[in-house]
């Protein structure tokens, strides 16, 4: 977990206020806090009363790619945030939601920032079907965990040769597939054993991978958010990845 996020100031004060001024003119209400400002509160912080955030859901129930239907990721223009809710939810990829965080604790799970226990009645659906475009990020920034909980695209990668004969899910277990760059850096794709795409063959070429940026016990991982987030890795010719280090072993764990 992190104590601050890109230097964003901490959240302070209520999300709404009412003030009566002369002439009957009301001042503008302050905007909702950003997700980055919630992260800036730091580990184990308690979110102040009357605080909410708005964001777009980037996890995907149709892919069933988390280990629990209580899991959810949202992002806004500043950052992303992972939830483990109090009950199974039905929010879809592209839903814009407003989440009341009053009194919630900024916690962690296996090194990833996570807020747990939010009741479903604390989440309001604002709109559905919003377009979410992944942010193209450098491998260096991704590995530095600068985009945790956000939908990203990483160019110039391929499945490691040792994993080419695998499917995304094997043996009925949560599965990690090793991904590498031409200069020897690596991370993993994590797929839940419940994933609807689990029987698909891993891509055999090189190119761009998309998904939710996450960290698990110090290992950076991608969690697919859309059907076809892996399609861009079929397009290019494979490169020599012999310099890539270890780091793609199955850990049977994910973000929630």
């Amino acid at each position: 977990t992190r104590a601050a996020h890109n230097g964003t100031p901490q959240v302070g004060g209520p999300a709404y206020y009412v003030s009566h001024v002369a002439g009957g003119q009301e001042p503008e209400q302050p905007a909702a806090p950003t997700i980055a400002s919630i992260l800036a509160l730091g580990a184990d912080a308690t979110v102040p009363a009357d605080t909410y955030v708005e964001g777009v859901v980037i996890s995907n129930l149709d892919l069933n790619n988390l280990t629990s239907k209580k899991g959810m990721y949202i992002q806004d223009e500043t950052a992303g945030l992972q939830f483990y809710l109090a009950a199974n939810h039905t929010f879809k990829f592209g839903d814009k939601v407003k989440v009341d965080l009053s009194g919630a604790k900024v916690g962690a799970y296996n090194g990833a920032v996570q807020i747990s226990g939010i009741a479903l009645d604390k989440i309001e659906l604002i709109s559905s079907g919003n377009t979410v475009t992944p942010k193209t990020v450098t491998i260096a920034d991704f590995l530095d965990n600068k985009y945790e909980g956000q939908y990203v695209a990483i160019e110039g990668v391929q499945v490691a040769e040792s994993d080419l004969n695998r499917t995304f899910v094997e043996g009925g277990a949560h599965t990690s597939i090793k991904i590498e760059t031409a200069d020897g850096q690596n991370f993993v794709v994590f797929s839940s054993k419940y994933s609807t795409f689990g029987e698909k063959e891993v891509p055999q070429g090189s190119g761009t991978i998309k998904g939710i940026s996450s960290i698990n016990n110090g290992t950076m991982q991608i969690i697919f958010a859309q059907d076809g987030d892996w399609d861009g890795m079929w397009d290019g010719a494979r490169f020599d990845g012999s310099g890539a280090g270890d780091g793609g072993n199955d850990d049977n764990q994910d973000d929630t």
Side-chain angles (χ1 to χ4, degrees), residues 237-250:
R238 289 185 60 81
F239 48 77
D240 180 6
S242 59
D246 194 11
N249 295 326
D250 290 0

Side-chain angles (χ1 to χ4, degrees), residues 11 19 21 32 51 71-72 95 118 120 130 147 155 186 203 214 223 248:
V11 175
S19 176
V21 296
T51 300
M72 183 175 73
D95 283 351
I118 300 292
L120 297 187
N130 295 281
Y147 294 94
E155 300 173 330
N186 62 88
S214 182
I223 300 170

